[in-house]
Amino acid sequence: MILVLLIVYLAFLAIAIKFKLIKPTLFWKISPLLWVVFLLVALFIPLQFWAPGGYIRVIAPTVQIVPNVSGQVINVSVKPNQHVSKGDILYQLDARPFQSVVDRLQADLTLANIRFEQQEELQQKNLGRKLDIDRTRANVASTQAQLDKAQYDLEQATVRAPDSGIVTNVEALQEGARVVSAPFAQTLAFVEDNNRPIFAQIQQSYLRYVEIGQSAEIAFKMYPGQVFPATVKAILPGSSLGQFGPSGILPTTLSEVHGPMFVRLYLTDTAMAASLPAGATGDVAIYTEKGSASHVIRKVMIRTTAITNYVNPF
């Protein structure tokens, strides 16, 4: 952009000299250098914090589907990259082992209830002991708790979608495979489609005037030539460089790395935001309350970036 303004100034200077509006004195000969210095000091250096720009990425929460019970897969109900709604069946495990436990505990509960009724009748006739009634009552409660757990396991033999979204990595899950209920034994990857936040990386020194509610514009790589309006919704209170957790290791020497901070953005077009794939990237321009003259230059720059996205894949 500074090169464009310099060319415009040189063209204006050449026209003025040609038509003898000014004389080619030493001042006018070095004026292009003075013009560049003026642009840098008065406009382009403040531009970085009056209308900061940065790199953006679309993030989508991904749920690793792990069954709550272990068993053998008997049916896979979804296809790769299929969109599902909350509660839709993803796959089913062989429910017979869980059903047998439920049947057994239901029989045990029936018997425990009969015994409890008998103990109460004996107690009313002063032929039974209160201790026997208490033991039978505890046996009924224990059997009921076991039955509730068994019924839960039976329900979990059918694995359902936790929310609306897209399931992927389905090819590796086949009928006959045995899956286990373990944190690191994921069976499917589920990408939610109701929450697609956009995060912008802004250098720390340029973040000083950025506030929630300010307007922004985004040029996505996958949509060359287009600029989408957005709004600053949050400024993250930290980054991984400042993360500190409990450990048995004393603090070590910190490396001198000045990493960017993160700003969360929301697109004005909600339908467009919902259609963005996870991992989509682009450039952003944020317009603060200061330096409105610099906003014009940043608007030109972001639109130039959007146009060059036609030929620049990086």
Side-chain angles (χ1 to χ4, degrees):
M1 188 63 190
I2 193 170
L3 180 60
V4 173
L5 293 177
L6 177 60
I7 293 174
V8 171
Y9 177 80
L10 291 175
F12 171 79
L13 187 62
I15 292 173
I17 293 176
K18 180 177 181 180
F19 289 96
K20 298 182 179 180
L21 299 176
I22 59 175
K23 295 181 179 180
T25 60
L26 178 62
F27 172 79
W28 290 111
K29 290 180 180 180
I30 64 172
S31 63
L33 179 60
L34 299 176
W35 174 245
V36 171
V37 173
F38 170 77
L39 290 176
L40 286 173
V41 175
L43 210 54
F44 281 91
I45 293 178
L47 170 71
Q48 304 302 324
F49 46 84
W50 285 342
Y55 168 81
I56 66 100
R57 178 173 295 177
V58 179
I59 307 296
T62 303
V63 178
Q64 304 297 324
I65 302 298
V66 178
N68 291 324
V69 294
S70 303
Q72 186 177 19
V73 178
I74 60 172
N75 180 47
V76 180
S77 304
V78 291
K79 298 179 180 179
N81 301 322
Q82 176 181 337
H83 187 277
V84 296
S85 300
K86 184 177 182 179
D88 286 353
I89 297 176
L90 301 180
Y91 62 90
Q92 293 176 303
L93 305 180
D94 189 353
R96 289 177 296 179
F98 309 107
Q99 184 65 59
S100 66
V101 175
V102 171
D103 295 341
R104 176 177 59 81
L105 290 172
Q106 285 176 337
D108 292 345
L109 182 61
T110 301
L111 179 59
N113 283 322
I114 292 173
R115 288 179 176 175
F116 180 70
E117 292 174 359
Q118 293 173 344
Q119 292 291 343
E120 282 189 323
E121 291 178 1
L122 292 174
Q123 178 67 21
Q124 291 173 0
K125 296 178 182 179
N126 295 323
L127 298 176
R129 297 182 304 173
K130 186 177 184 303
L131 177 60
D132 294 333
I133 293 180
D134 292 340
R135 286 175 176 174
T136 307
R137 181 185 290 111
N139 184 37
V140 170
S142 175
T143 306
Q144 181 63 61
Q146 294 177 58
L147 178 59
D148 292 341
K149 174 62 168 61
Q151 289 175 334
Y152 172 80
D153 291 343
L154 178 60
E155 294 174 357
Q156 298 307 307
T158 300
V159 181
R160 300 180 181 273
D163 204 342
S164 60
I166 297 174
V167 287
T168 184
N169 198 30
V170 180
E171 298 87 348
L173 185 65
Q174 300 293 328
E175 295 181 7
R178 182 168 181 81
V179 297
V180 295
S181 178
F184 301 104
Q186 301 92 341
T187 55
L188 297 174
F190 179 83
V191 182
E192 296 183 3
D193 59 6
N194 293 329
N195 185 16
R196 296 287 175 87
I198 302 172
F199 288 101
Q201 295 183 170
I202 306 296
Q203 294 299 326
Q204 297 181 30
S205 58
Y206 303 153
L207 198 65
R208 67 189 76 173
Y209 298 125
V210 176
E211 297 178 355
I212 296 174
Q214 292 174 343
S215 62
E217 290 182 322
I218 300 175
F220 291 102
K221 283 291 183 180
M222 64 184 303
Y223 295 108
Q226 300 183 57
V227 175
F228 300 91
T231 305
V232 176
K233 288 298 182 181
I235 302 173
L236 270 65
S239 68
S240 60
L241 293 177
Q243 187 172 350
F244 181 73
S247 68
I249 302 175
L250 294 174
T252 60
T253 303
L254 301 177
S255 58
E256 191 173 347
V257 178
H258 307 290
M261 302 302 290
F262 295 89
V263 176
R264 185 170 182 174
L265 306 168
Y266 273 74
L267 284 181
T268 304
D269 188 345
T270 55
M272 171 63 187
S275 67
L276 288 170
T281 60
D283 297 273
V284 65
I286 299 175
Y287 305 111
T288 68
E289 306 301 327
K290 297 181 177 293
S292 56
S294 65
H295 296 180
V296 177
I297 296 177
R298 182 62 76 182
K299 286 179 179 292
V300 173
M301 293 174 68
I302 193 71
R303 281 157 177 77
T304 302
T305 300
I307 294 173
T308 57
N309 284 340
Y310 278 110
V311 294
N312 181 18
F314 303 105

